[in-house]
Amino acid sequence: MSEDYRSMWQLLGLNLEAHDALLNVLGKAYQEIFLAQKDRPQGMAYFDFVMSEVHGLRIKELLDEKAAGRKIIGTYCVFVPEEIVLAANATLVGLCSGADFAMEEVEKCLPRNTCALIKSSFGFKLGKVCPYLESADMIVGENTCDGKKKAYESLKGLVENLYVMDLPQVKSEQGRALLKAEYQRFRAALEDLSGVAVTTASLKQAIRTVNAKRAAIHRLSSLRKADPAPISGLDALLANQVFFYDAPLRFTKSMNAICDELEARIAEKKGVFPQKTPRILVSGCPQAVPNWKLPFVVETAGAVIVGEESCVGERGTRNLTDESGETLEEMLEAIVDRYFRVDCAIFTPNPERLEHIQEMVAAYHADGVIHYGLQFCQPYLMESMPVEKALEEQGIPCLRVETDYSMEDVGQLKTRIEAFIEQLR
Ligand code: BJ8
């Protein structure tokens, strides 16, 4: 950290000793995984800076926003509409769920066979190491998978400002009506919290801001179609992770600057890996910061990741919100339409997800798909089997990986992934 933020962390109630240990591990991992890569785009320096200040400068900015009257909203799911949050004079931040922490304590609250993502969100709270969580004025949980919705019942005893959003599980008329009703209830709760009413002007501007951020990420995705790939899967994943933390306008600007650089690289046929390196699409569970295990294994085994069919990736950012609405009602309808298209595996049935995987394989010229499932994640592990079958029927090789956040299976993963890559050559 470039400044001494210790008093800030102390005021937030962090456990300084545990927090130091976390930052040390993170810093070392970042060095070994990201900074050791060759030929990274220069624009990645921005993301290196963001990561080096992820618990420092960004938290200070959020606290400054709070002091100026804005509210901070923490979220665990891409169904929480950032447009409505921004329009109510609040800032949305993703909450850490990508590393094991305080597992002994966590397993006193949650069954051992709970997915790593849920356990991690508890670990960061119980271990008192997440300044985002401690800065938030409202933490939004959502009724998605069974694991999350039951876990929020327990989280309620740990955080006093938990707000639970109900979500549909079927893409029916009633499902859409539920989503709309829940977004209206959420808007009212935000207005109560911030004391600021959502207006046509503020919602219109918020839709534009979030669309611009998503459009910048789409631009990056599109550039990954090139061979040689102009950016590694690791760096692209990092950009998708930072998407959840950074100030929206700054993120959009920095992302577009990287894309300008990548366009120049593509014109010169310059890449991070040689041409004809096997190309992988990763599909499945979200990979939250600092979960970099899979791309690290894949890209040190001789392949490049060219897309993520994931909520930290295209599932979360694929669609833009229609900007033509003029009334609050029209804009809310457009927001509901946009989010109702997210093809999370909690929906049943969920045929759009398979269609999107197939579209992405074609668009990014992927040679194969790695289906990434977290252990005990029923929705994605259940879907992984029909996904694998359908892809293989079309001659698209697919490897199903089931893992967690520990490093214990890295050797085994490496062996399986190397064999899969060999098959793609
Ligand atoms: S919209 S994917 S962010 S719910 S990995 S906790 S599903 S048992 S994260 Fe998700 Fe929203 Fe869906 Fe996206 Fe449950 Fe599976 Fe754990 Fe998961």
Side-chain angles (χ1 to χ4, degrees):
M1 292 285 160
S2 56
E3 274 182 45
D4 186 8
Y5 295 116
R6 297 187 78 75
S7 53
M8 175 175 81
W9 296 329
Q10 202 152 25
L11 278 175
L12 287 172
L14 297 193
N15 175 335
L16 292 186
E17 211 180 308
H19 186 246
D20 283 350
L22 176 73
L23 289 190
N24 279 340
V25 173
L26 273 186
K28 199 161 168 280
Y30 195 81
Q31 185 88 26
E32 288 169 4
I33 295 173
F34 286 91
L35 303 182
Q37 297 177 97
K38 296 206 178 77
D39 297 326
R40 298 175 79 211
Q42 282 175 6
M44 286 311 294
Y46 171 72
F47 290 101
D48 295 341
F49 176 71
V50 169
M51 287 309 290
S52 72
E53 288 285 345
V54 73
H55 281 196
L57 186 59
R58 184 65 188 130
I59 297 298
K60 187 174 177 307
E61 286 176 351
L62 293 177
L63 295 180
D64 288 347
E65 285 186 20
K66 273 166 79 96
R70 259 180 107 78
K71 299 293 175 189
I72 308 300
I73 313 297
T75 165
Y76 296 106
C77 179
V78 299
F79 268 101
V80 179
E82 186 170 8
E83 295 86 343
I84 300 178
V85 171
L86 291 179
N89 197 33
T91 296
L92 192 75
V93 290
L95 295 174
C96 295
S97 303
D100 288 339
F101 208 85
M103 278 300 129
E104 240 175 71
E105 290 304 301
V106 172
E107 288 180 7
K108 288 179 193 157
C109 307
L110 295 173
R112 213 178 59 78
N113 57 351
T114 303
C115 92
L117 206 142
I118 298 173
K119 279 186 174 173
S120 170
S121 56
F122 272 61
F124 279 86
K125 178 66 202 170
L126 291 165
K128 298 196 180 118
V129 289
C130 179
Y132 290 90
L133 219 153
E134 305 305 335
S135 310
D137 298 289
M138 178 197 275
I139 292 171
V140 187
E142 15 58 51
N143 291 339
T144 44
C145 63
D146 284 352
K148 272 189 177 180
K149 68 184 162 221
K150 296 309 287 182
Y152 293 131
E153 291 175 15
S154 305
L155 193 63
K156 215 169 180 59
L158 302 175
V159 297
E160 62 207 18
N161 50 1
L162 184 71
Y163 173 96
V164 178
M165 179 182 282
D166 199 14
L167 287 182
Q169 317 244 308
V170 178
K171 298 260 171 96
S172 60
E173 231 174 86
Q174 293 92 326
R176 191 186 178 284
L178 170 62
L179 188 65
K180 185 176 173 193
E182 281 298 289
Y183 282 1
Q184 277 165 328
R185 187 171 71 92
F186 183 52
R187 172 190 149 194
L190 288 170
E191 288 177 334
D192 260 5
L193 179 75
S194 68
V196 175
V198 173
T199 63
T200 48
S202 67
L203 193 54
K204 201 169 191 55
Q205 184 52 51
I207 291 173
R208 284 196 186 123
T209 300
V210 182
N211 273 350
K213 186 166 93 148
R214 292 193 184 119
I217 273 277
H218 293 174
R219 200 177 152 207
L220 174 77
S221 304
S222 182
L223 296 170
R224 295 168 76 191
K225 293 174 184 167
D227 188 16
I231 184 167
S232 67
L234 268 166
D235 279 340
L237 175 65
L238 185 71
N240 276 283
Q241 291 174 331
V242 169
F243 180 93
F244 290 91
Y245 300 88
D246 204 2
L249 297 178
R250 186 174 58 205
F251 178 87
T252 303
K253 195 164 160 241
S254 311
M255 201 65 259
N256 279 321
I258 291 193
C259 290
D260 292 344
E261 185 187 346
L262 296 190
E263 276 172 2
R265 279 187 159 208
I266 292 170
E268 292 167 28
K269 288 223 162 291
K270 198 172 157 201
V272 279
F273 294 94
Q275 221 166 355
K276 306 241 176 291
T277 296
R279 300 165 68 86
I280 305 275
L281 177 78
V282 172
S283 169
C285 293
Q287 297 168 90
V289 164
N291 176 10
W292 303 310
K293 181 162 88 171
L294 182 74
F296 178 66
V297 171
V298 171
E299 297 198 331
T300 50
V304 57
I305 294 172
V306 291
E308 296 79 23
E309 188 283 314
S310 162
C311 282
V312 184
E314 278 199 38
R315 191 184 317 121
T317 57
R318 180 176 290 119
N319 304 306
L320 301 186
T321 302
D322 184 287
E323 291 185 11
S324 63
E326 291 302 336
T327 63
L328 270 182
E329 176 62 16
E330 285 169 359
M331 286 184 245
L332 182 69
E333 286 287 343
I335 291 169
V336 174
D337 280 342
R338 188 260 160 211
Y339 284 87
F340 202 48
R341 290 161 75 192
V342 174
D343 53 352
C344 172
I346 58 137
F347 282 94
T348 178
N350 191 31
E352 295 89 355
R353 182 167 164 241
L354 176 60
E355 287 160 21
H356 283 135
I357 296 171
Q358 290 161 335
E359 277 169 25
M360 288 181 74
V361 167
Y364 298 115
H365 316 295
D367 300 303
V369 173
I370 295 184
H371 191 285
Y372 174 77
L374 283 173
Q375 260 169 23
F376 313 118
C377 168
Q378 283 187 347
Y380 284 93
L381 293 177
M382 288 270 188
E383 283 197 359
S384 70
M385 293 186 180
V387 163
E388 178 188 46
K389 189 162 172 275
L391 292 176
E392 293 201 330
E393 277 168 7
Q394 290 169 18
I396 303 164
C398 178
L399 176 72
R400 281 191 294 121
V401 161
E402 192 180 326
T403 185
D404 56 17
Y405 290 168
S406 78
M407 289 297 145
E408 279 163 21
D409 63 349
V410 164
Q412 193 205 25
L413 266 182
K414 210 170 165 54
T415 309
R416 289 186 64 210
I417 287 170
E418 277 170 355
F420 182 65
I421 294 170
E422 231 10 80
Q423 183 195 333
L424 305 179
R425 284 187 201 279

